[in-house]
Amino acid sequence: MSSIAGNSARKFEPGTECVAKYDFKGNSQADLPFRKGDLIEIKRATQDPNWYDARRVSDGKTGIIPINYVQQRRGLHIHEMPWFFGKISRDEAEKLLKPRTVGLFLVRESTNYPGDYTLCVVSPSSQMKVEHYRITSKDNNKYSVDDETYFSTLSELVKHYKKDADGLCTTLVKSLKKEDNAISSTAFKESFQKEGWSVATEDITFKEKIGTGEFGEVFKGDYQGRAVAIKQLKDDTHAAQSFLREASVMTTLQHQNLVVLIGISFRGQDILILTEHCSKGSLVNYLRSRGRAVIKQEEQLSFARDVCTGMEYLEEKHMIHRDLAARNVLLTDNPGSSCLLAKVSDFGLAKDQQIQQKDAEKFPVKWTAPEAIREKKFSSKSDVWSFGILLWEIFSFGRNPYPRVSLDNVLDKVLSGYRMEKPDACPPHIYQIMLKCWCTEPDKRPSFREMSPKLYRETNL
């Protein structure tokens, strides 16, 4: 091994996913060559801290790599940052922080130090002036105000100073929020690039169209030899915000029962989200096209468990999906199993539970909990209601919920106590889980964590 990586080696845990920052041709047969933009999985450290055993994701080849040639991919938490105002000047920040109240704050991109940020907060001084603190951003993706305490994300930094001033003029009391809660496309773009999620457009090959989503058309494609699904943005500003927000949410979520984000690309005015391609299509189409003659109860139960496990992960992350349905579950091969693997997809409506969403008017009535329809109260428990509907879809082989009930009458019938009947051949304990999911009072519904073990055995909740 040569000293190509230098002396500033960083420690990477096995399984860490990285993206190549530079081309590496390799110096020996033991080395793993790669191109800039390749996805690399760290396997283990070597005796030389500058070099690691690694695997190239596109083809599975392994070898030794210089660690300073790759960058660890980190989740973007920009969707959790309503206080982030992107590129605004010092003067603009001070104007926005009027009327002045102590502890009112925002974060902006630094105008004097590109790549760094500035925390702007109203001080308790007699003039209630705005103090501007430089937030340095290190090569190891750590953020600090004082070069003593470091944080993995800006969100963590803000949470810390909300609890303790710790050298600032005051604790952060209240964040200034944009009226439309919008985040500039430029801020999103730079964040994706900085955290290693931006991919080169020239490495993407479009193939056939496979659908139309909330944002626009969806294509099957290829990225560095890997089959991907490509969501292409409609030319609409509001859609761009939702599109990029969806991708930023996906960078923070990694689970075998959630569709995996591969990367995001900016092509002229177009924005492309690349996710893994689930070759067997949507769960609802699979159920409807095969039916009871092909699909056995073992596979139905497997789908239910997969979805519940993915949703349990979201629940633990305090994330709300808000559009859980069989149409938003994708299927792919599951090596070593006779059943396909189900993955929850479409996080366009997934939100942190503490963030208020203003576009809650758009939701599918037959899958949505009563409190979400009437009061726009979305929670993990409203996702549980939707899961109950999804279970009904699975065991009715993809039938549309509330058959023979008009859309306008669904809510009234549900509130009057009506519940769908047990699908034919559905195990009684599964139907009992559905009924528990459909409790009118959200607090009386089970959690995904409580339901998960019940889907493995015949027992009531």
Side-chain angles (χ1 to χ4, degrees), residues 89-103:
S89 68
R90 182 188 183 101
D91 288 343
E92 287 175 308
E94 295 192 356
K95 288 178 182 177
L96 287 170
L97 290 169
K98 290 180 180 178
R100 302 282 168 80
T101 58
V102 175

Side-chain angles (χ1 to χ4, degrees), residues 1 4 18 20 22-36 38-43 51-67 69-70:
M1 301 178 190
I4 192 169
C18 299
Y22 318 104
D23 290 343
F24 175 60
K25 295 181 179 179
N27 301 314
S28 71
Q29 290 185 344
D31 292 342
L32 175 66
F34 51 77
R35 295 184 304 153
K36 180 180 178 180
D38 280 354
L39 299 182
I40 306 294
E41 180 188 354
I42 301 301
K43 304 299 289 183
W51 294 78
Y52 276 68
D53 280 325
R55 181 180 72 90
R56 193 165 56 209
V57 172
S58 62
D59 57 11
K61 290 186 178 179
T62 60
I64 308 298
I65 67 163
I67 204 62
Y69 271 49
V70 300

Side-chain angles (χ1 to χ4, degrees), residues 249-261:
V249 170
M250 293 181 73
T251 65
T252 67
L253 305 172
Q254 297 291 325
H255 190 276
Q256 68 169 356
N257 294 120
L258 302 181
V259 171
V260 173
L261 177 69

